[in-house]
Amino acid sequence: MGDKQTPRKLFDGFINAAVSIIDSPVTWFRERVVTPNRESYPWYHQKFRRVPTIDECYTDDVICFYEANSQFKRDKAVDSEILAILRIRMEDCNMFHGPDAVAKCKSLVETYKEAEGNWFCKYGDLGFHGNVKDAYMKQKHRMVWERRHGPVGSGMRDAAAAAGDE
Amino acid sequence: MYYMKYYSHTYKFPAQQIRCGGGHHKEMFITPSRFQWNKCKDMVHYYVFLGVIPLSLITFFVNIYVGPATLTPIPENYKPKYWEYYRHPVTRFISRYIMPNPQMEYERHMNVLHEEEERRQLYLLEKKVKQLMAERSDYQAYYYSPNTAIKYYRKMKEVKKEENDRQGDNL
């Protein structure tokens, strides 16, 4: 900004000088000492093969159960990270817009709420020792309940109506 | 002597005064305990010279001269080694030279599970056989009592079964 001879240029200059007291030695060290002496080498993101899930295992097949359980735990970790990313996006949007967030962040909030509901559907309420068999039984119970009473969230029907529809 | 300034008087044993008679007396210097100070110096020497300084030097030089890895996609037809899935060089070192291969441990564990399950099935089979032997008393093994009346017992069992079949349950 050569033509701005106003105090703004001086202020910028002052702030830049104040920051560079700390920044320039660090940057010098990094560029002159650290970077030339390092050779870059790779690391990779591990990809696991998909193995048969719990519904494809026989009841007495311990190995199949162990592999399905390991896959379940990995999937749970990945899904938790995905949910955390969606949550961060929603919270950043809410914090940035403040009072306008109700109108401006609607899609992000909806996406997050749906993802949270789905996460709870699959992994929630299983407890610390919950394994893949518990999750499978939870799904089975939910499907039976939905068959009797309609979608989750629409309330229970009384026994006669439920039995009649089934 | 450095301890003189802490304790100016010393205790002289009267017996040795008599025995020595004009020579040098054996003196016991009573001083406060130097144990805590010596122990403190020992601990400082141990934790700083064997802990702080070597580990700081290692950390400093590893981070500057080796540095963390860069994340790259896995190239075609290349299977990365199990330590190449970590970023920091110290973690890679620990994974490579100290910790076992996770895939090997996974497969070993599955083998153990399989063997234990086979043993368990054999145990359940044995248990069922014993239970049947207890119920039927028809095998010369567990629950065997050398009972010469067993042949009559078996005959009566057949007779009763035939009667029950003929008469039915609704008597």
Side-chain angles (χ1 to χ4, degrees):
Chain A
M1 298 290 138
D3 45 330
K4 274 197 185 169
Q5 295 297 329
T6 54
R8 189 176 160 78
K9 188 179 175 225
L10 289 175
F11 182 70
D12 279 349
F14 169 72
I15 293 292
N16 287 338
V19 167
S20 70
I21 290 173
I22 303 172
D23 189 60
S24 47
V26 176
T27 312
W28 174 86
F29 187 75
R30 176 109 188 161
E31 284 167 4
R32 296 295 295 275
V33 178
V34 172
T35 323
N37 287 321
R38 277 189 193 176
E39 314 146 3
S40 76
Y41 57 103
W43 68 296
Y44 307 105
H45 183 72
Q46 188 163 15
K47 288 192 173 43
F48 292 92
R49 274 198 296 246
R50 298 303 292 180
V51 290
T53 48
I54 187 70
D55 56 318
E56 297 164 16
C57 287
Y58 288 110
T59 46
D60 56 354
D61 196 351
V62 197
I63 293 180
C64 187
F65 172 78
Y66 179 70
E67 290 208 278
N69 200 25
S70 307
Q71 188 173 251
F72 175 75
K73 286 199 278 202
R74 270 179 255 131
D75 289 344
K76 182 171 176 176
V78 168
D79 286 339
S80 305
E81 289 294 322
I82 293 173
L83 195 67
I85 290 171
L86 292 172
R87 190 186 311 128
I88 285 168
R89 284 185 196 167
M90 176 192 76
E91 286 179 353
D92 284 349
C93 184
N94 283 340
M95 249 194 269
F96 183 76
H97 287 114
D100 301 335
V102 178
K104 293 215 167 137
C105 299
K106 222 173 188 167
S107 65
L108 285 174
V109 171
E110 272 170 20
T111 316
Y112 173 70
K113 288 281 177 216
E114 194 187 336
E116 187 187 39
N118 292 336
W119 190 97
F120 191 84
C121 219
K122 186 172 178 185
Y123 302 109
D125 270 349
L126 296 176
F128 182 78
H129 298 290
N131 55 20
V132 68
K133 220 186 259 184
D134 299 335
Y136 190 43
M137 292 299 113
K138 182 183 175 193
Q139 182 190 31
K140 181 195 78 166
H141 290 196
R142 184 173 45 92
M143 289 167 92
V144 170
W145 195 95
E146 283 191 343
R147 186 170 64 179
R148 288 181 188 164
H149 302 278
V152 171
S154 63
M156 275 176 86
R157 293 186 269 180
D158 58 346
D165 272 359
E166 208 176 317
Chain B
M1 310 281 182
Y2 64 95
Y3 43 75
M4 288 285 209
K5 62 181 177 176
Y6 298 113
Y7 229 92
S8 55
H9 76 268
T10 59
Y11 180 76
K12 295 187 172 66
F13 289 100
Q16 282 164 355
Q17 229 174 353
I18 298 168
R19 245 183 263 154
C20 282
H24 111 285
H25 305 288
K26 282 216 173 119
E27 291 173 355
M28 174 182 157
F29 295 103
I30 297 176
T31 57
S33 167
R34 310 244 343 135
F35 176 76
Q36 278 89 7
W37 173 236
N38 291 333
K39 190 80 182 163
C40 184
K41 284 187 285 187
D42 288 343
M43 286 170 88
V44 165
H45 285 140
Y46 180 80
Y47 284 108
V48 172
F49 290 118
L50 293 179
V52 170
I53 290 178
L55 292 179
S56 306
L57 287 175
I58 289 174
T59 311
F60 184 77
F61 286 114
V62 161
N63 276 316
I64 300 240
Y65 289 105
V66 180
T70 39
L71 185 61
T72 54
I74 300 177
E76 288 292 322
N77 300 327
Y78 175 66
K79 178 139 197 311
K81 304 274 188 292
Y82 64 96
W83 65 83
E84 289 175 358
Y85 292 119
Y86 301 102
R87 184 171 168 258
H88 195 265
V90 171
T91 319
R92 283 166 83 107
F93 179 85
I94 292 171
S95 172
R96 184 173 179 181
Y97 292 110
I98 299 176
M99 300 300 285
N101 185 357
Q103 188 179 350
M104 184 180 81
E105 292 296 301
Y106 183 86
E107 291 178 14
R108 273 181 69 211
H109 190 236
M110 286 207 290
N111 180 44
V112 166
L113 286 175
H114 181 66
E115 256 185 68
E116 292 294 312
E117 178 62 20
E118 283 188 347
R119 279 207 189 104
R120 183 177 157 253
Q121 293 297 333
L122 286 173
Y123 170 78
L124 288 174
L125 188 62
E126 211 181 307
K127 199 167 156 194
K128 179 140 174 87
V129 166
K130 274 199 223 176
Q131 186 197 348
L132 288 174
M133 280 196 224
E135 277 172 26
R136 298 176 187 172
S137 315
D138 60 350
Y139 201 75
Q140 215 174 18
Y142 297 98
Y143 312 107
Y144 176 65
S145 53
N147 190 355
T148 47
I150 191 65
K151 54 184 182 217
Y152 305 111
Y153 172 79
R154 282 194 198 119
K155 189 71 182 144
M156 281 316 292
K157 211 164 79 162
E158 280 174 28
V159 165
K160 284 265 185 315
K161 184 175 182 315
E162 194 265 326
E163 274 180 24
N164 203 15
D165 288 341
R166 188 165 27 90
Q167 292 171 355
D169 295 323
N170 206 4
L171 293 171

